[in-house]
Amino acid sequence: MQIAVIGTGYVGLVTGACFAEFGTSVTCVDVDAEKIAHLNNGQIPIYEPGLDQLVSKNKAAGRLNFTTDLRSAVEQSLVIILAVGTPPKDDGSANLTFIESAALDVARHMNGYKVIVTKSTVPVGTGERLRGLIREQQQKFDFGIVSNPEFLREGAAIDDFMRPDRVVIGSRDEAAIAIMRALYRPLYLIETPVVITSLEAAELTKYAANAFLATKISFINEVANLCDRIGCDVHDVARAMGMDNRIGRYFLHPGPGYGGSCFPKDTTALLSVAKAYGGESLIVSAAVEVNNAQRLRMVEKIERLLGGDVNGKQVGVLGLSFKPETDDMREAPSVDIVNALIERGARVRAYDPVATEQAKKVLSHVEYASDEYEAAGGADVLVFMTEWNQFRALDMEKIKGLMRAPRIADLRNIYEPQRMRELGFDYVGVGR
Ligand SMILES: NC(=O)c1ccc[n+]([C@@H]2O[C@H](COP(=O)([O-])OP(=O)(O)OC[C@H]3O[C@@H](n4cnc5c(N)ncnc54)[C@H](O)[C@@H]3O)[C@@H](O)[C@H]2O)c1
């Protein structure tokens, strides 16, 4: 089977590379000519473990191509996967400009039956809207519309794509469903459940799943804040809660709040969807509010540790990306927290193992260090912002010697409070 993936960002590139690895012929298309040129020169525009090997292997095998030529990609392909961005608008709803324009471009170049698949995260009703737009643009060829939401996690994207918990295929077009089943056939071998739903249910599933996970994070953050007041350890509570199979142990780790390219925008987009259908989502609305407040709480935590004022203080920051194993800075908690510290008069020196170049685009007035120890040098407080594995076993004696004063704000609870205090640090975590 020959397929085209429109939009070669995180999702499009991973999708294209993984389907190629399954043996499918894939053409990845993007409007960003520079990105396509880089990919054709063997340069991967994002940091995602294992992706560079997968891309180069499948490119060399001739199964994976990159182009800006949408026309030939559409003409050659039976399945066209839309994986363009759906960023938030000012009112929190999803901006559908990119996906609508991509769908219209596809419609213009159709030369036979096509299955048009939305992998981008889109509001309920988008599939039907695209069907209307494509039908308006061309009446000559029949086509199927499918919603196939993507659940991959950045940092573990390839494994998530190759070994997903489930594949969701939403459509009312029987022929399109059969073609999608064939496309995902390699996953039958590992008994991946394939859930066939209506277009609308598939679209809502993605938002509901992300909103649920975001709510779990906000829930445990609220419990952590309560633990801070009570003086008990949120990890004890989370562990004991999570052993209940009805609750589950994942996403019960407290911290500075969720970030990234999905949870923040998908939660607010779900609120817009609920509103558009005359309903509301009080729980998700609260999860968003708790998350926004959590970032400010972290700033206040750092401030208290410094005796109530960050003005004139040197703050070392370890980790900037919204989570480990990615260089993605979209909606990273570090952005709000570092900006608030700088606004209050702090000087910030930060180190991230891979996100520095991306961070420079969104965080000015920050000095960038080349390793953890340089970031800690002369600092009045060292803030653990992202839980990169390499931060878990630092030489804390050395760090203490480099700092102006031994204070740690561990926003990811990487270290044991007791141990840090024994080492002579003034230490705060989240809910411990
Ligand atoms: N990043 C994730 O972890 C993740 C996970 C699941 C779902 N999603 C969803 O997948 C979608 C894509 O997310 P992303 O993070 O890959 O976005 P991204 O911003 O990294 O990539 C989008 C790409 O689409 C290209 N593009 C825009 N308009 C185009 C057009 N008309 N034709 C061709 N290319 C075009 C852009 O140049 C860009 O390269 C979003 O809806 C997102 O919510 C993302």
Side-chain angles (χ1 to χ4, degrees):
M1 195 187 294
Q2 176 105 25
I3 70 167
V5 179
I6 317 297
T8 312
Y10 277 85
V11 169
L13 186 54
V14 170
T15 300
C18 290
F19 274 129
E21 180 70 9
F22 290 160
T24 310
S25 269
V26 183
T27 306
C28 287
V29 184
D30 208 287
V31 285
D32 184 339
E34 200 185 342
K35 188 179 272 191
I36 293 297
H38 283 318
L39 283 160
N40 278 325
N41 288 332
Q43 289 161 274
I44 306 291
I46 51 170
Y47 176 82
E48 179 63 43
L51 188 58
D52 46 356
Q53 293 96 312
L54 204 67
V55 168
S56 61
K57 178 183 157 198
N58 284 285
K59 214 160 135 262
R63 286 188 299 264
L64 182 60
N65 296 293
F66 299 101
T67 183
T68 53
D69 181 2
L70 180 88
R71 181 191 192 119
S72 68
V74 170
E75 284 176 355
Q76 289 162 19
S77 303
L78 173 61
V79 176
I80 323 277
I81 298 178
L82 304 176
V84 299
T86 48
K89 292 199 285 200
D90 287 344
D91 66 358
S93 65
N95 179 351
L96 299 178
T97 317
F98 303 107
I99 197 148
E100 288 180 358
S101 117
L104 282 172
D105 286 345
V106 169
R108 274 184 210 111
H109 300 309
M110 276 169 65
N111 59 342
Y113 177 81
K114 308 283 173 191
V115 179
I116 296 162
V117 182
T118 305
K119 204 170 246 313
S120 303
T121 303
V122 293
V124 177
T126 303
E128 281 307 331
R129 186 169 159 67
L130 296 187
R131 191 196 302 281
L133 287 176
I134 295 168
R135 183 56 71 222
E136 235 172 69
Q137 181 67 37
Q138 69 83 36
Q139 294 84 39
K140 203 166 165 195
F141 302 108
D142 195 13
F143 57 94
I145 293 276
V146 172
S147 165
N148 173 219
E150 182 49 57
F151 299 98
L152 63 78
R153 292 164 301 170
E154 288 177 18
I158 292 168
D159 203 51
D160 285 349
F161 195 95
M162 300 254 194
R163 274 170 282 279
D165 292 332
R166 77 304 204 188
V167 170
V168 176
I169 296 173
S171 186
R172 59 178 161 91
D173 304 307
E174 287 304 326
I177 293 171
I179 291 166
M180 290 304 287
R181 279 190 186 276
L183 181 62
Y184 277 104
R185 183 157 301 130
L187 293 182
Y188 288 0
L189 297 173
I190 53 168
E191 298 182 356
T192 305
V194 174
V195 185
I196 307 290
T197 70
S198 67
L199 205 45
E200 292 76 12
E203 289 169 340
L204 184 57
T205 300
K206 174 63 190 177
Y207 279 133
N210 271 359
F212 189 84
L213 294 172
T215 302
K216 227 175 153 183
I217 294 173
S218 277
F219 184 89
I220 201 65
N221 280 338
E222 209 168 56
V223 173
N225 298 338
L226 190 54
C227 287
D228 271 338
R229 288 176 191 279
I230 296 169
C232 62
D233 190 339
V234 67
H235 285 264
D236 291 342
V237 180
R239 198 167 59 246
M241 272 175 70
M243 284 172 187
D244 185 327
N245 288 331
R246 294 169 302 177
I247 296 172
R249 64 194 170 92
Y250 298 107
F251 282 76
L252 287 181
H253 196 86
Y258 57 77
S261 69
C262 291
F263 287 0
K265 84 172 170 61
D266 292 349
T267 42
T268 54
L270 179 56
L271 297 179
S272 294
V273 167
K275 204 166 150 200
Y277 283 82
E280 55 187 352
S281 181
L282 298 177
I283 290 174
V284 179
S285 178
V288 171
E289 209 176 309
V290 168
N291 196 59
N292 292 338
Q294 191 69 1
R295 297 179 179 198
L296 185 61
R297 263 177 203 279
M298 298 300 109
V299 176
E300 290 165 354
K301 204 179 254 298
I302 296 164
E303 217 165 31
R304 271 197 306 278
L305 187 62
L306 285 165
D309 196 1
V310 299
N311 190 19
K313 297 286 170 34
Q314 175 81 27
V315 180
V317 172
L318 295 186
L320 292 167
S321 57
F322 86 93
K323 68 173 179 180
E325 299 301 330
T326 180
D327 62 351
D328 202 337
M329 285 295 296
R330 289 179 281 185
E331 298 287 332
S334 65
V335 177
D336 283 346
I337 295 172
V338 166
N339 279 336
L341 291 170
I342 290 173
E343 249 166 51
R344 292 169 195 216
R347 293 184 310 276
V348 174
R349 190 189 294 148
Y351 167 69
D352 188 283
V354 305
T356 304
E357 287 314 307
Q358 295 303 323
K360 282 179 182 167
K361 297 179 190 166
V362 286
L363 279 174
S364 44
H365 310 300
V366 169
E367 193 188 330
Y368 290 93
S370 54
D371 66 19
E372 296 89 338
Y373 301 99
E374 194 184 328
D380 294 289
V381 59
L382 186 62
V383 179
F384 285 90
M385 192 76 79
T386 314
E387 67 277 36
W388 283 92
N389 274 336
Q390 70 184 64
F391 298 159
R392 292 181 191 277
L394 295 175
D395 181 344
M396 295 308 288
E397 286 286 7
K398 180 174 169 187
I399 290 217
K400 194 174 126 192
L402 291 168
M403 293 179 73
R404 182 151 49 203
R407 297 190 192 95
I408 287 183
D410 184 357
L411 307 188
R412 300 288 182 171
N413 292 350
I414 294 173
Y415 285 99
E416 276 307 312
Q418 181 68 21
R419 174 86 188 112
M420 288 300 108
R421 287 175 192 137
E422 280 164 14
L423 280 172
F425 285 100
D426 200 357
Y427 172 97
V428 289
V430 182
R432 309 191 83 186

